[in-house]
Amino acid sequence: MAEERSGARALLEVLQQEGVELVFGYPGGAVLPLYDELGRSSIRHVLVRQEQAAVHAASGYARVSGKTGVCFATSGPGATNLVTGIATAYMDSVPVVAFTGQVPTTMVGSDAFQETDITGITLPITKHNYLVNDVKDLPRIAKEAFYIASTGRPGPVLVDIPRDVALTPCQEAVPQEVELRGYKPTYQGHPGQIRALAQLLAEAKRPLIFVGGGVVASGAEELLRQLAEKIQIPVATSLTGLGAFPEDHPLSLGLIGLHGKPYANFAVKECDLLLGLGVRFDERVTGALQQFAPQAKIAHLDIDPAEIGKNVRVDLPLVGDLNCIIKELLPLLKPYDAAPWLARIKALRSSYPLIASPGGELQTPWVIERLGEMTRGRAIITTDVGQHQMFAALFYGYTEPRTFISSCGLGTMGYGLPAAIGAALARPDKQVWLVTGEGSLQMHMAELATAREQGLAIKILLFNNNCLGMVRQLQHDYYQGRYTAVKFSGNPDFVRLAECYGAAALRISKPEEVVPALAEAMQNDRLTLIECLVSEEEMVNTMAPPGEVIR
Amino acid sequence: MKRTLSVLVENRPGVLTRVAGLFSRRGYNIDSLAVGRTETPSLSRMTIVVDGDERIIEQVCKQLHKLIDVIKLSDITDEPHVDRELVLIKVNAEPAVRGEIMQIVDIFRARIVDIARNSLIIEATGDAGKIDAIENSLRPFGIREVVRTGKIAMLRGSKE
Ligand SMILES: Cc1ncc(C[n+]2csc(CCOP(=O)(O)OP(=O)(O)O)c2C)c(N)n1
């Protein structure tokens, strides 16, 4: 007798149809029907060491490849372990689809073994989620999940599949098209608004483009370059926007905001038209709202209408896909007299430079600058969260989109290593560097084994200041130096630890060791860790206390 | 400023949670929310009364729109529409005051739907103003319990 096609088999058909090549996950009882089918398919599975790492890896994979990342987890603790990863993806608008096993439908709601209401739990941190009650809905729901995750403003979608649903025969074919009457993203910008924007640009004397993750997500970086070059508008970015505009470009200002580049922040203060592209004017960027870009009219272009007017008052809202909008805008542009503004920016740049000095002892910014030079700004950099993250954002010099991979919106320590695994699997042709701190690395250290198992030659640049540097800095600045719970006194020997995981490892503590160490790591084809011993006294440049005016 | 939103949603489990969760999560003030099936079984309509300034209302609408299960949303406050609320009021009613209460019931075209030894249950429909008025008129007698449905609303038919 021929085997009947189960719900699980139907789901795998959807994955195949969606072009999924790779799934990150961790099995358990309730999700076994899916794993059984996955094992019989041609899709590769990457077994992580904890479910949170599966979402982070799927997220890193998605951000680097532009495809949707996929992860599997079991019910109960497996599903709840996903939560931080899903929230991380949600805050950075990353397309990820998570499939979780659930207890059988007959037991849902009974507090059964390993039952949690994961759709309830993830309601506020997913773009959408589903509990599949009936196998006949499964192919449609799975298809919708990919569609919702990857279109409009991308985001994570979770599909919770009870075990019996996955095992029940499924007659329904996989639909070719998705039809959702409540979900119709706007792609074309309003022609009148586009003309109005061209007019604003024509009247501006000191325009500035502020670029966020939306430019990367929509792949509009080439059109952005044309827009900036055509009439010579300087370009600043948010954290998620890093790489959308090459930092070695004369019009590039780099990062703005709380930890941004001083001259870039001054340029924002002085501009008279700020053109926000795919940004959400996060508090980390704007500081106190009334003092943000105080002289400027603000035009805000985004595919998510709810972002417009949410944080800052906008003079010109424009909803749509950035590609569509910029394409329409380009032919309408009239040159303005850019010379005075560009001269002013040049002056700001030399008055408030950002310099990494080699110093006497090893300093993080200087190491990162060397890394940027030696990889010519072309490696993929994933980071964790803390001072090292800000240094990596400020001193590397990104020249390509999808090369700065970091938890920007949620600030999730532990993101970097699993994200590097996803990144390395997405781009085997690229070098992937993880810039991390000893605090963050220890959150998902076990994923070193996953990296090794997958044969990934990830390079880890570990800045060991033996403390939770960013928190220590906050206590230094705002708690009169009363340091509480920020110092480690029993950390492992990270070099030996890395070696236990089969990595090459070395430790450096002097500036002259940096270039040889980086060169060695770049040459070998192994998982490699370079531990840099740095001072706990290092401080990240901060423009303002939280919530206050950025100066 | 109170606004009345008429929201067409998928008739699916979880939709109410999504909408209600949105309001609490983002700190919007919800005055009332009524929901029920429509003439099309796959659709439900929610009538939501929210309180907030123009910016907040705009955000509420945009965030509601973002929910995949929300199909159509309109702010009907300034459109010609009919709105109604239903209230059940259990009021103290010693035999001596029953006549007076029945007069009030008549004036408001309400109805007495249950009689006990010392209390009555009164049913009334109307717009929020009328419901408030009847509640106020009955208060001196001692209101024991009030149950209100929240507002439901419908646009009037077009003129021609
Ligand atoms: C999961 C999580 N817990 C706590 C924090 C708060 N936090 C932000 S930065 C930081 C310190 C990070 O230390 P480390 O990774 O060593 O980096 P450093 O700042 O020293 O470069 C902490 C604890 C966080 N962002 N994420």
Side-chain angles (χ1 to χ4, degrees):
Chain A
M1 198 180 86
E3 215 182 325
E4 270 191 291
R5 168 186 180 257
S6 66
R9 172 71 61 90
L11 177 72
L12 263 294
E13 275 174 32
V14 176
L15 297 192
Q16 236 119 26
Q17 209 186 80
E18 292 294 322
V20 174
E21 291 163 357
L22 202 59
V23 169
F24 302 90
Y26 209 91
V31 76
L32 280 186
L34 301 194
Y35 268 95
D36 196 37
E37 285 299 338
L38 183 67
R40 297 201 241 176
S41 78
S42 60
I43 296 175
R44 177 172 173 191
H45 179 263
V46 175
L47 179 63
V48 294
R49 295 304 189 265
Q50 205 259 33
E51 289 86 351
Q52 186 185 135
V55 202
H56 288 334
S59 155
Y61 175 85
R63 291 168 92 152
V64 167
S65 68
K67 298 186 215 157
T68 299
V70 181
C71 62
F72 279 15
T74 192
S75 66
T80 52
N81 270 350
L82 295 179
V83 170
T84 302
I86 292 174
T88 305
Y90 185 68
M91 290 296 280
D92 288 337
S93 308
V94 182
V96 169
V97 179
F99 294 97
T100 45
Q102 181 55 284
V103 301
T105 44
T106 48
M107 292 167 80
V108 167
S110 71
D111 303 319
F113 176 65
Q114 293 196 330
E115 179 188 1
T116 52
D117 173 13
I118 196 63
T119 45
I121 291 170
T122 57
L123 199 78
I125 53 168
T126 47
K127 188 169 169 187
H128 196 55
N129 66 20
Y130 297 89
L131 168 62
V132 186
N133 284 310
D134 189 333
V135 73
K136 76 179 190 329
D137 298 328
L138 183 54
R140 172 184 58 80
I141 286 176
K143 189 88 183 162
E144 284 176 9
F146 279 92
Y147 180 71
I148 292 170
S150 62
T151 53
R153 176 181 183 173
V157 177
L158 180 135
V159 183
D160 197 23
I161 307 174
R163 200 178 66 215
D164 56 330
V165 169
L167 292 170
T168 307
C170 177
Q171 265 85 47
E172 271 65 25
V174 178
Q176 291 301 313
E177 296 292 321
V178 171
E179 176 54 34
L180 284 159
R181 48 189 174 180
Y183 177 70
K184 303 246 174 342
T186 307
Y187 293 102
Q188 294 299 329
H190 188 281
Q193 292 294 87
I194 295 176
R195 278 196 301 277
L197 176 58
Q199 185 61 31
L200 275 185
L201 278 164
E203 289 161 8
K205 295 192 171 60
R206 300 181 304 281
L208 188 145
I209 296 176
F210 170 40
V211 166
V215 172
V216 180
S218 62
E221 50 285 324
E222 175 51 30
L223 285 162
L224 163 68
R225 198 181 52 73
Q226 289 179 31
L227 169 66
E229 285 178 354
K230 186 158 180 196
I231 59 170
Q232 297 290 303
I233 316 175
V235 179
T237 79
S238 71
L239 265 186
T240 47
L242 282 173
F245 193 76
E247 288 192 73
D248 53 2
H249 195 288
L251 289 169
S252 166
L253 293 169
L255 186 72
I256 58 168
L258 185 67
H259 299 298
K261 298 193 173 169
Y263 57 81
N265 279 328
F266 280 107
V268 171
K269 280 256 159 310
E270 295 186 13
C271 72
D272 68 350
L273 174 64
L274 188 124
L275 196 60
L277 304 183
V279 288
R280 56 192 181 94
F281 295 103
D282 179 66
E283 183 257 341
R284 288 282 156 132
V285 162
T286 61
L289 278 172
Q290 64 283 13
Q291 284 301 313
F292 176 69
Q295 309 181 28
K297 288 197 170 148
I298 296 181
H300 191 181
L301 284 59
D302 204 286
I303 197 153
D304 180 0
E307 279 307 329
I308 292 176
K310 187 181 82 178
N311 293 342
V312 295
R313 283 191 189 278
V314 170
D315 300 278
L316 189 126
L318 189 36
V319 176
D321 176 71
L322 291 170
N323 290 294
C324 302
I325 295 176
I326 301 176
K327 249 184 230 144
E328 301 287 319
L329 180 66
L330 282 173
L332 306 178
L333 290 179
K334 293 193 194 70
Y336 72 109
D337 180 16
W341 177 222
L342 295 184
R344 174 67 188 145
I345 294 219
K346 204 168 167 192
L348 285 173
R349 206 189 287 265
S350 48
S351 313
Y352 307 98
L354 192 65
I355 297 166
S357 80
E361 43 186 304
L362 197 56
Q363 293 189 28
T364 307
W366 193 78
V367 179
I368 293 193
E369 219 175 59
R370 299 289 78 66
L371 179 65
E373 274 172 18
M374 292 175 70
T375 56
R376 301 204 312 286
R378 295 228 185 103
I380 292 169
I381 307 295
T382 77
T383 84
D384 270 301
V385 174
Q387 293 176 316
H388 64 272
Q389 177 189 32
M390 293 306 138
F391 289 135
L394 288 167
F395 291 97
Y396 181 75
Y398 298 87
T399 60
E400 292 176 13
R402 304 188 178 280
T403 56
F404 177 74
I405 310 297
S406 186
S407 170
C408 305
L410 199 67
T412 308
M413 290 171 69
Y415 179 75
L417 179 56
I421 291 172
L425 288 163
R427 288 295 298 269
D429 57 316
K430 278 248 184 207
Q431 213 168 75
V432 176
W433 284 81
L434 162 64
V435 174
T436 185
E438 80 295 345
S440 297
L441 182 66
Q442 291 185 81
M443 288 229 166
H444 280 304
M445 200 160 65
E447 300 306 327
L448 286 168
T450 311
R452 158 107 188 282
E453 225 162 57
Q454 300 295 327
L456 304 175
I458 295 166
K459 316 296 173 190
I460 301 169
L461 199 47
L462 167 65
F463 291 97
N464 188 354
N465 54 6
N466 221 15
C467 69
L468 298 171
M470 190 61 110
V471 178
R472 183 184 179 281
Q473 178 169 349
L474 289 173
Q475 292 179 345
H476 174 272
D477 291 350
Y478 307 120
Y479 294 84
Q480 290 78 46
R482 291 188 302 277
Y483 299 120
T484 311
V486 289
K487 204 128 173 84
F488 290 117
S489 55
N491 270 338
D493 176 331
F494 288 103
V495 167
R496 280 172 60 200
L497 181 98
E499 284 168 353
C500 284
Y501 279 105
L506 60 160
R507 179 178 294 124
I508 59 174
S509 56
K510 297 190 201 71
E512 61 269 23
E513 295 171 314
V514 172
V515 172
L518 293 177
E520 185 182 328
M522 287 170 69
Q523 273 161 21
N524 74 20
D525 53 4
R526 292 176 63 192
L527 179 64
T528 303
L529 178 137
I530 304 174
E531 182 185 15
C532 305
L533 300 181
V534 292
S535 158
E536 63 175 24
E537 303 286 338
E538 281 192 347
M539 295 284 171
V540 169
N541 165 53
T542 307
M543 305 302 285
E548 288 182 29
V549 176
I550 290 182
R551 276 180 289 271
Chain B
M1 186 180 59
K2 286 198 177 143
R3 308 294 297 184
T4 305
L5 309 179
S6 181
V7 190
L8 200 61
V9 300
E10 297 285 353
N11 179 13
R12 283 199 196 130
V15 177
L16 184 59
T17 322
R18 283 178 205 280
V19 171
L22 179 71
F23 277 83
S24 64
R25 184 162 77 247
R26 297 203 178 256
Y28 305 141
N29 282 320
I30 196 163
D31 235 56
S32 75
L33 189 158
V35 56
R37 245 194 314 115
T38 64
E39 66 285 358
T40 313
S42 67
L43 298 177
S44 297
R45 184 173 301 277
M46 293 186 181
T47 307
I48 306 175
V49 181
V50 272
D51 199 2
D53 62 25
E54 205 175 314
R55 256 190 102 181
I56 290 187
I57 302 290
E58 189 184 321
Q59 264 299 307
V60 169
C61 293
K62 284 173 166 177
Q63 294 294 347
L64 279 171
H65 241 308
K66 241 173 109 159
L67 298 177
I68 310 282
D69 287 332
V70 169
I71 297 162
K72 192 160 179 274
L73 179 152
S74 29
D75 181 343
I76 61 169
T77 319
D78 303 326
E79 311 279 325
H81 68 270
V82 179
D83 62 66
R84 290 288 180 271
E85 245 189 275
L86 169 70
V87 67
L88 296 174
I89 302 173
K90 189 182 285 169
V91 63
N92 286 336
E94 300 296 326
V97 297
R98 284 200 179 168
E100 208 180 324
I101 291 177
M102 280 157 82
Q103 265 181 6
I104 293 171
V105 166
D106 267 354
I107 290 168
F108 285 101
R109 290 201 211 117
R111 294 199 301 153
I112 293 169
V113 291
D114 189 53
I115 299 185
R117 209 145 57 86
N118 292 318
S119 69
L120 298 170
I121 297 180
I122 292 157
E123 170 201 305
T125 58
D127 59 22
K130 173 175 161 184
I131 302 292
D132 290 343
I134 188 167
E135 220 184 295
N136 286 336
S137 310
L138 291 171
R139 183 153 299 126
F141 302 96
I143 290 178
R144 291 194 188 175
E145 208 178 320
V146 173
V147 182
R148 289 173 77 148
T149 57
K151 186 200 272 193
I152 57 169
M154 189 179 270
L155 287 176
R156 289 182 187 276
S158 60
K159 285 286 169 321
E160 60 289 17

